[in-house]
Structures are given as C-alpha cells and as structure tokens.
Amino acid sequence: MPDPGLGGEPLPDPAEADRRRISYARSLVRVLPALLILVGAFYDYFTPMAFTAGPLFTAAPLVAAPLFSLRGTLLTGVTALVSVLTIHVRFGVVFKVDAITEVATVATVGVLAVLINILVRRTDERLASAHQIAEAAQRAVLPKPDERIGGLEVAARYEAAQAGAFIGGDLYAVQDSPHGVRLVVGDVRGKGMEAVSAVAVVIGAFREAAEQEATPEAVAQRLERALAREGTRREGLDAFEGFTTAVLAEISREGGLVRIVNRGHPPPLLLHADGTLVTLAAANPALPLGMGELGTWPDRAEETEFPHGATLLFHTDGLSEARDAQGRFYDPAARLAGRTFPGPDALLVTLAEEARRHTGGALTDDMALLAVRRS
C-alpha cells in the first residue's frame, strides 16, 4: 500500500472513519425511542390481547434519558404512556389487572427516566466544568507561543494520547532574549499531577534563565538546579527517579547559526528548503535533567548552520516511538526526507495526522511538537 506523504494515494484516516461510524450510530440511537413506540403500538394493535408490547414502551424513555433533553425525555415518557392507554381504551380493557399493571409500569419507568436524565445532565455539567479547568491549566502551564518570535516563524502542537486530555509531561517553550531566540522541548518522566508540576517548574526556570544566562549551557544548569529543588519536595519513587529529557536551542540574532544542548532527548531535525534533511544528533550525549548527581559531565553546546528557508523540528518520543499494529516505530526523519512544507504549522499538522494514522488512531504516549523556520 502507498505510504502517506511519500507518493500515491493517501491511506484512509482510521480516526475519521471511527468518527463517521459514531455519528451514524448516534443518529440511529436518537430515533430509536420513536421507533420503539411505533413498533409497540403496531404490535399491540394487530396481535391478540395475550401478547403485549410493554417492554418496548418501557424501553423508549430509558433510551431517551441519556440522549435527549429533559423536555424530550418527558415527552417520550408521556407519548409511551398515552400510546398504551389509547390501545387499552380501543380494546376496552382499561380496568383489567394486566392493563393496569402495564400502565403503572410504563408510568414508573417514565418517572425514572426523567430522574436519570437530570442526573446525566448534572454529570455533563461537571465534566464541562472540568474540561474548562483543564483548558485553563494548559494555557497557564503550556501557553502556545506566538507565530513570529525574533524574526522566526514558530509553530507548536501538543497531542495527548488520552482522548479529552490536555496536558501531561511533555513541554515546550520559546522566548526571545538578549542573546537570541531560545527554546526548550522536554519530556518529564511519569504521569499525572507530579509530571504537570515538573513541567511548570521547568518552564518557569527556563523563562527566567533564558533572560539572564549568557549561554545555553548555563540555561541547562539552571534547569538542573530547579529540578533538583523540585525533587526534594517529591515523595516515593519520584523523589529518587524523577528526571526530564530536554533539548535546548539558541538561535543567534544575526541568524544562520543555532547552538543546541541535548540532555538525553530525541535529536532535532533540520529540514532544508529543498527537502534535504539532517538529524542533529549530539556528538557528546549528556544525562537528562535531574540526574546531575550521577555524574558531572559539563554541558557543551553544538553549533549548526541554520540557513534561510530551513526549518528546525523538535519533538518528544511520543512521535518517534509511535508504533503501528506490527510494532514498527514511526520514523520522522525517514518520513520527512525529500518533502517540503509551506510553513512550520503545516509541517506539524502533517506529522500529527501521519502519526495517528500510523498507530491506527491510538497514540500510546503524549507528543509535543515545535517547529521554527528562518524565513
């Protein structure tokens, strides 16, 4: 089958197919209460009295409860009850024991359906509130950078593995400073609130150090000290094994040069205007941030030319370790080589879509993407 983005027809998007199937299923379920009432009325009207469609009439309001509004649920229950009474009146059995029991059952289920609808609506309101809080937390902890910083085009993207999630242990930040445009992309070990707390510490320390420190090596040391202080406040395993892989970069104001410090992070990719791709692997790999007590290796920034029209891509291992059904990793360097993009945002959109297609729409880890282009 042709590889998406490498020629031929693109593969269908599994996530889009799933969304269409879910949309069709929802449409069917929304008309189900009316169908149940119609089928029940038809069945009761054309079959002997020994046969009853009571289960269909009771099912209709229960199906409507989690899907319809309060008014819609109440209307469904009333319609089911009126249908049962109309059929009983038609056959003159309103006051028979079986008929009274059936009417009482439908009425009781209708009341329960209304109560269920009220509870569902309240739960939805709480979820909506939590959703808004999560969005606010993301904007506060991981704000999206401006589209242009220091004469550079910038794009950032955060893809959460868990549907509905907004932020985890991946991070990025870009800041203009007296020494040039500085940036950091990292991945905090662990999940949950401990990881989010570490993300806030790293970004806060980076913002301050990017303004004050003269070199990217010094910025890395400031982040190291900040995480060491954060580690003293942690408990359990995180107090001993907490660390953050990160890559820091400084793009000179004169342009044409980028200095990179890599602390155990996937290497950045340099995509030239003609599609030529270079992997900026560290010649002297260093330990991740937060593991300084295991060694005293000095940070050394490595310089690389950053020509006009080129794009620097930084990513976390959520991209490079995305696997397909056969366990094969997504290789961004192989996928991007020879390709060109109109801008950094288009590049990130393409990467996110291809990674999700590669995994069948099921990412196993969050991924942060940051692209910077020298116009």
Side-chain angles (χ1 to χ4, degrees):
M1 299 180 71
D3 210 357
L6 297 179
E9 293 296 326
L11 293 174
D13 185 354
E16 181 62 28
D18 287 342
R19 284 192 290 270
R20 285 198 296 267
R21 285 194 293 270
I22 291 172
S23 177
Y24 296 150
R26 285 178 176 173
S27 299
L28 175 62
V29 172
R30 290 190 69 85
V31 300
L32 187 57
L35 289 175
L36 288 171
I37 294 174
L38 288 174
V39 172
F42 183 86
Y43 182 88
D44 264 355
Y45 191 85
F46 291 101
T47 58
M49 290 304 301
F51 300 91
T52 176
L56 298 178
F57 291 116
T58 56
L62 289 178
V63 173
L67 301 174
F68 292 1
S69 64
L70 177 61
R71 180 179 179 182
T73 303
L74 182 61
L75 182 61
T76 301
V78 170
T79 303
L81 184 61
V82 170
S83 299
V84 172
L85 285 172
T86 301
I87 293 171
H88 290 172
V89 170
R90 168 68 178 79
F91 289 104
V93 294
V94 176
F95 299 106
K96 288 191 175 182
V97 175
D98 291 343
I100 294 174
T101 301
E102 186 176 4
V103 170
T105 301
V106 174
T108 302
V109 172
V111 172
L112 292 175
V114 170
L115 293 177
I116 291 172
N117 180 271
I118 293 173
L119 292 175
V120 168
R121 298 301 149 203
R122 288 180 179 176
T123 301
D124 288 345
E125 290 173 0
R126 294 193 196 99
L127 289 175
S129 177
H131 189 275
Q132 293 173 353
I133 293 171
E135 286 185 309
Q138 183 189 40
R139 288 193 294 268
V141 176
L142 201 65
K144 194 171 183 178
D146 295 334
E147 294 181 359
R148 294 192 69 88
I149 299 177
L152 301 171
E153 296 178 56
V154 180
R157 190 179 183 95
Y158 193 102
E159 292 286 324
Q162 183 179 356
F166 287 91
I167 187 172
D170 291 8
L171 63 97
Y172 54 74
V174 185
Q175 185 160 323
D176 198 2
S177 77
H179 312 283
V181 176
R182 287 176 167 174
L183 58 90
V184 62
V185 174
D187 186 357
V188 176
R189 175 198 171 276
K191 303 288 183 183
M193 292 308 300
E194 290 290 346
V196 175
S197 175
V199 167
V201 169
V202 171
I203 291 180
F206 170 78
R207 297 288 187 195
E208 183 179 359
E211 288 288 333
Q212 299 176 356
E213 299 295 345
T215 65
E217 294 94 331
V219 174
Q221 288 301 314
R222 283 280 289 272
L223 301 187
E224 180 76 46
R225 292 193 293 272
L227 281 173
R229 290 192 299 270
E230 169 67 12
T232 62
R233 293 191 288 269
R234 294 191 176 195
E235 298 178 354
L237 192 62
D238 282 340
F240 303 97
E241 296 188 2
F243 62 85
T244 300
T245 66
V247 59
L248 297 99
E250 176 187 280
I251 303 170
S252 63
R253 287 199 169 278
E254 297 77 15
L257 190 68
V258 58
R259 306 183 68 210
I260 297 174
V261 174
N262 195 320
R263 298 294 296 268
H265 199 75
L269 304 176
L270 179 62
L271 186 63
H272 290 263
D274 62 357
T276 303
L277 186 139
V278 179
T279 301
L280 305 180
N284 299 298
L287 291 174
L289 298 170
M291 300 181 70
E293 62 182 16
L294 300 181
T296 56
W297 294 274
D299 287 304
R300 292 188 177 90
E302 299 179 15
E303 296 185 353
T304 303
E305 291 186 3
F306 188 21
H308 287 290
T311 302
L312 271 169
L313 172 65
F314 302 85
H315 62 87
T316 56
D317 59 10
L319 177 67
S320 55
E321 295 184 0
R323 301 190 188 199
D324 63 10
Q326 288 73 42
R328 293 173 297 195
F329 291 112
Y330 179 88
D331 187 350
R335 296 297 185 102
L336 295 177
R339 301 167 68 181
T340 59
F341 300 88
D345 189 62
L347 168 62
L348 300 192
V349 170
T350 300
L351 279 173
E353 290 177 351
E354 289 187 3
R356 286 199 177 273
R357 280 200 296 267
H358 184 77
T359 61
L363 293 174
T364 57
D365 193 9
D366 297 354
M367 64 180 180
L369 307 172
L370 180 67
V372 180
R373 186 170 79 166
R374 187 181 176 211
S375 303

